[in-house]
Amino acid sequence: MASLKDVKTKIDGVKKTQQITRAMNMVASAKLRSAQEKMESFKPYAEKFKTALQRIGGNTTSGSFPLMERREEVKNVEIVVVTSDRGLCGSFNANIISMAEKLMQSYEKEGKKVSFVCIGKKGAQYFRRTGKVRQRYPDIMSVKFQMDNARNIAQDIGENFTLGESDEVKVVYGQFVSMVKQEAVNVDLLPIKPEEPEQEESAEAGKVKGAYIFEPDPEEIMEVLLPLYLNVMVYNAMVQVGASEHAARMTAMDNATNACKDMIDYLTNIYNKARQAAITGELMDIVGGAEALK
């Protein structure tokens, strides 16, 4: 059995760890409020922007816009991986990386070449050893990123697609579902797909349908909206990851705090047993000495 001093030292160490995890939980909780507000305020805008763009795109010729051009043969696929810069948030980053890695493997089995654009340090560190990282943006998720950051990233992705270096672009990120659930998702980014006519036909019965009249022409509108669409989608992925990271860290630190509590209870039990054994031993010595003096 461990000595009393060793057990006491372990208990003190676990208590200090518990203080750290509790403090990290509180910090993550404070940061989550602002990140969640930003995410919730931007999400409806991103969804409506995507719907409007697809609807307008259905009234244009996709071949006239480079970002909507579908390649006859997809040879090069680019995967945009959005992770956090910091760890200690459970399996959040691992799930995103795992999904991106599975996508890479499936594309490579089909004979396609895969490249990565990594937003966030964790993804950049993992995929760096593959030698397939075309562009990396570390230390961007730990600061208060703005739309300008997303615009620079989107311009690089769009230019690479327009030059024919990539035939298809996917984005993988952590979607905020709830405080206790954040799931990795992958979304088609390029080429931008217009709304299909079948979607109009599958609308609910009795819903009013009609043709939209655009002013100016849909082509003129698309020239302005297409670059903005990339900015919106990249920024939406970043704010989703920002909120999901803090929620995942809150859960992880809460679990760690509870684990520390259980460990302290266990070590305290061992400490009490060791102390009781020491007291019993001393009493036996005293009783034995008293009997010897009789």
Side-chain angles (χ1 to χ4, degrees), residues 68-79 103 106-115 161 164-170 188 190-191 193:
M68 297 179 67
E69 180 183 354
R70 297 190 183 185
R71 312 289 162 78
E72 294 182 0
E73 185 179 0
V74 178
K75 296 181 179 179
N76 302 311
V77 179
E78 188 157 82
I79 302 175
L103 274 177
S106 64
Y107 282 128
E108 289 181 340
K109 286 181 180 178
E110 298 173 2
K112 299 174 183 178
K113 182 180 178 182
V114 178
S115 62
F161 179 83
E165 297 297 327
S166 61
D167 302 316
E168 185 177 297
V169 181
K170 306 273 284 188
D188 295 328
L190 291 173
K193 299 176 182 178

Coordinates of all heavy atoms in Angstrom, one line a residue, residues 68-79 103 106-115 161 164-170 188 190-191 193:
M68 N -19.5 28.0 -61.6 CA -20.6 27.1 -61.7 C -20.4 26.0 -62.8 O -21.2 25.2 -63.1 CB -21.9 27.9 -62.1 CG -22.4 28.8 -61.1 SD -23.9 29.7 -61.6 CE -25.1 28.4 -61.6
E69 N -19.2 26.1 -63.4 CA -18.8 25.2 -64.5 C -18.6 23.8 -63.9 O -17.7 23.6 -63.1 CB -17.6 25.7 -65.2 CG -17.2 24.8 -66.3 CD -15.9 25.3 -67.0 OE1 -15.4 26.4 -66.6 OE2 -15.4 24.6 -67.9
R70 N -19.3 22.8 -64.4 CA -19.1 21.4 -64.0 C -18.2 20.8 -65.0 O -18.4 20.8 -66.2 CB -20.5 20.7 -64.0 CG -21.5 21.2 -63.0 CD -22.7 20.3 -62.9 NE -23.7 20.8 -62.0 CZ -24.8 20.2 -61.6 NH1 -25.0 19.0 -62.1 NH2 -25.6 20.7 -60.8
R71 N -17.1 20.2 -64.5 CA -16.1 19.5 -65.4 C -16.6 18.2 -65.8 O -17.3 17.4 -65.0 CB -14.8 19.4 -64.6 CG -14.4 20.7 -63.9 CD -13.9 21.8 -64.9 NE -13.9 23.1 -64.3 CZ -12.9 23.6 -63.5 NH1 -11.9 22.8 -63.2 NH2 -13.0 24.8 -63.1
E72 N -16.4 17.8 -67.0 CA -16.8 16.5 -67.6 C -16.2 15.4 -66.8 O -16.8 14.4 -66.6 CB -16.5 16.4 -69.1 CG -17.2 17.4 -69.9 CD -16.9 17.3 -71.4 OE1 -16.1 16.4 -71.7 OE2 -17.5 18.0 -72.2
E73 N -14.9 15.6 -66.4 CA -14.2 14.5 -65.7 C -13.5 15.2 -64.5 O -12.7 16.1 -64.6 CB -13.1 13.9 -66.6 CG -12.4 12.7 -65.9 CD -11.4 12.0 -66.8 OE1 -11.3 12.5 -67.9 OE2 -10.8 11.1 -66.4
V74 N -13.8 14.7 -63.3 CA -13.2 15.2 -62.1 C -11.9 14.5 -61.8 O -11.9 13.3 -61.5 CB -14.2 15.1 -60.9 CG1 -13.6 15.6 -59.6 CG2 -15.5 15.8 -61.2
K75 N -10.8 15.2 -61.9 CA -9.5 14.6 -61.7 C -8.9 15.1 -60.4 O -8.2 14.3 -59.7 CB -8.6 14.9 -62.8 CG -9.0 14.3 -64.2 CD -8.0 14.6 -65.2 CE -8.4 14.0 -66.6 NZ -7.4 14.3 -67.7
N76 N -9.1 16.3 -60.1 CA -8.5 17.0 -58.9 C -9.6 17.4 -57.9 O -10.5 18.2 -58.3 CB -7.6 18.1 -59.3 CG -6.5 17.7 -60.2 OD1 -5.8 16.8 -60.0 ND2 -6.4 18.5 -61.3
V77 N -9.5 17.0 -56.7 CA -10.5 17.4 -55.7 C -9.8 18.1 -54.6 O -8.8 17.7 -54.1 CB -11.3 16.2 -55.1 CG1 -12.3 16.6 -54.1 CG2 -12.0 15.4 -56.2
E78 N -10.3 19.3 -54.2 CA -9.8 20.0 -53.0 C -10.7 19.9 -51.9 O -11.9 20.2 -52.0 CB -9.5 21.5 -53.4 CG -8.8 22.3 -52.4 CD -8.1 23.5 -53.0 OE1 -8.7 24.5 -53.2 OE2 -6.9 23.3 -53.3
I79 N -10.2 19.7 -50.7 CA -11.0 19.5 -49.5 C -10.5 20.7 -48.5 O -9.4 20.8 -48.1 CB -10.8 18.2 -48.8 CG1 -11.2 17.0 -49.8 CG2 -11.6 18.1 -47.5 CD1 -10.9 15.6 -49.2
L103 N -12.8 11.0 -46.8 CA -13.1 11.6 -48.1 C -11.8 11.4 -49.0 O -12.0 11.1 -50.2 CB -13.4 13.0 -48.0 CG -14.9 13.4 -47.7 CD1 -15.1 14.9 -47.5 CD2 -15.8 12.9 -48.8
S106 N -11.5 7.8 -50.1 CA -12.5 7.4 -51.1 C -12.2 8.0 -52.5 O -12.3 7.4 -53.5 CB -13.9 7.8 -50.7 OG -14.0 9.2 -50.6
Y107 N -11.7 9.3 -52.5 CA -11.4 9.9 -53.8 C -10.1 9.3 -54.4 O -10.1 9.1 -55.6 CB -11.1 11.4 -53.6 CG -12.4 12.2 -53.5 CD1 -12.6 13.1 -52.4 CD2 -13.4 12.1 -54.4 CE1 -13.8 13.8 -52.3 CE2 -14.6 12.8 -54.3 CZ -14.8 13.7 -53.3 OH -15.9 14.4 -53.2
E108 N -9.2 9.0 -53.6 CA -7.9 8.4 -54.1 C -8.2 7.0 -54.7 O -7.5 6.5 -55.6 CB -6.8 8.4 -53.0 CG -6.3 9.7 -52.7 CD -5.2 9.7 -51.7 OE1 -5.1 8.7 -50.9 OE2 -4.4 10.7 -51.6
K109 N -9.1 6.2 -54.1 CA -9.5 4.9 -54.6 C -10.1 5.1 -56.0 O -10.0 4.1 -56.8 CB -10.5 4.2 -53.7 CG -9.8 3.7 -52.4 CD -10.9 3.0 -51.5 CE -10.2 2.5 -50.3 NZ -11.3 1.8 -49.4
E110 N -10.7 6.2 -56.3 CA -11.3 6.4 -57.6 C -10.3 7.0 -58.6 O -10.6 7.3 -59.7 CB -12.5 7.4 -57.5 CG -13.6 6.9 -56.6 CD -14.7 8.0 -56.4 OE1 -14.5 9.1 -56.9 OE2 -15.7 7.7 -55.7
G111 N -9.0 7.1 -58.1 CA -8.0 7.6 -59.0 C -7.9 9.1 -59.1 O -7.3 9.6 -60.0
K112 N -8.5 9.8 -58.1 CA -8.5 11.3 -58.2 C -7.4 11.8 -57.3 O -7.0 11.2 -56.2 CB -9.8 11.8 -57.7 CG -11.0 11.4 -58.6 CD -12.3 11.8 -58.0 CE -13.5 11.3 -58.9 NZ -14.8 11.7 -58.3
K113 N -6.9 13.0 -57.7 CA -5.8 13.6 -56.9 C -6.5 14.6 -55.9 O -7.4 15.3 -56.2 CB -4.9 14.4 -57.8 CG -3.7 15.1 -57.1 CD -2.9 15.9 -58.0 CE -1.7 16.6 -57.3 NZ -0.9 17.4 -58.2
V114 N -6.0 14.5 -54.6 CA -6.6 15.3 -53.5 C -5.6 16.3 -53.0 O -4.5 16.0 -52.8 CB -7.1 14.3 -52.4 CG1 -7.7 15.2 -51.2 CG2 -8.2 13.4 -52.9
S115 N -6.1 17.5 -52.7 CA -5.3 18.5 -52.0 C -6.1 19.1 -50.9 O -7.4 19.0 -50.9 CB -4.9 19.6 -53.0 OG -6.0 20.3 -53.6
F161 N -9.8 27.1 -58.4 CA -10.8 26.4 -59.1 C -11.0 26.9 -60.6 O -11.1 26.2 -61.5 CB -12.2 26.4 -58.4 CG -13.3 25.7 -59.1 CD1 -13.5 24.4 -59.0 CD2 -14.2 26.4 -59.9 CE1 -14.5 23.7 -59.7 CE2 -15.2 25.8 -60.6 CZ -15.4 24.4 -60.5
G164 N -8.4 25.8 -63.0 CA -8.5 24.4 -63.4 C -7.6 23.5 -62.5 O -7.4 22.4 -62.8
E165 N -7.0 24.1 -61.5 CA -6.2 23.3 -60.6 C -7.0 22.3 -59.7 O -6.5 21.3 -59.2 CB -5.4 24.2 -59.7 CG -4.4 25.1 -60.4 CD -3.3 24.3 -61.1 OE1 -2.9 23.2 -60.6 OE2 -2.9 24.8 -62.2
S166 N -8.3 22.7 -59.5 CA -9.2 21.8 -58.9 C -10.5 21.7 -59.7 O -10.9 22.7 -60.2 CB -9.5 22.2 -57.4 OG -10.1 23.5 -57.4
D167 N -11.1 20.5 -59.7 CA -12.4 20.3 -60.5 C -13.6 20.3 -59.5 O -14.7 20.4 -60.0 CB -12.3 19.0 -61.3 CG -11.1 19.0 -62.2 OD1 -10.9 20.0 -62.9 OD2 -10.4 18.0 -62.3
E168 N -13.3 20.1 -58.3 CA -14.4 20.0 -57.3 C -13.9 20.4 -55.9 O -12.7 20.0 -55.6 CB -15.0 18.5 -57.3 CG -16.2 18.4 -56.4 CD -16.7 16.9 -56.4 OE1 -17.1 16.5 -57.5 OE2 -16.7 16.2 -55.4
V169 N -14.6 21.1 -55.1 CA -14.2 21.5 -53.8 C -15.3 21.2 -52.8 O -16.5 21.4 -53.0 CB -14.0 23.1 -53.8 CG1 -13.5 23.5 -52.4 CG2 -13.0 23.5 -54.8
K170 N -14.8 20.5 -51.7 CA -15.7 20.1 -50.6 C -15.1 20.9 -49.3 O -13.9 21.1 -49.2 CB -15.6 18.6 -50.3 CG -16.0 17.8 -51.6 CD -17.4 17.6 -51.7 CE -17.9 16.5 -50.8 NZ -19.3 16.1 -51.0
D188 N -20.7 20.4 -50.3 CA -20.2 20.8 -51.7 C -20.1 22.3 -51.7 O -21.0 23.1 -51.4 CB -21.2 20.3 -52.8 CG -21.3 18.8 -52.8 OD1 -20.3 18.1 -52.5 OD2 -22.3 18.3 -53.2
L190 N -17.8 23.9 -54.5 CA -17.6 24.2 -55.9 C -17.7 23.0 -56.7 O -17.2 21.9 -56.2 CB -16.3 25.0 -56.2 CG -16.2 26.4 -55.6 CD1 -14.8 27.0 -55.8 CD2 -17.2 27.4 -56.3
P191 N -18.2 23.0 -57.9 CA -18.9 24.1 -58.5 C -20.3 24.3 -57.9 O -20.9 23.5 -57.3 CB -19.1 23.6 -60.0 CG -19.2 22.1 -59.8 CD -18.2 21.7 -58.7
K193 N -24.0 24.7 -57.5 CA -25.1 24.0 -58.2 C -26.4 24.8 -58.1 O -26.8 25.1 -57.0 CB -25.3 22.6 -57.6 CG -24.1 21.7 -57.7 CD -24.3 20.4 -57.0 CE -23.0 19.5 -57.0 NZ -23.2 18.2 -56.3

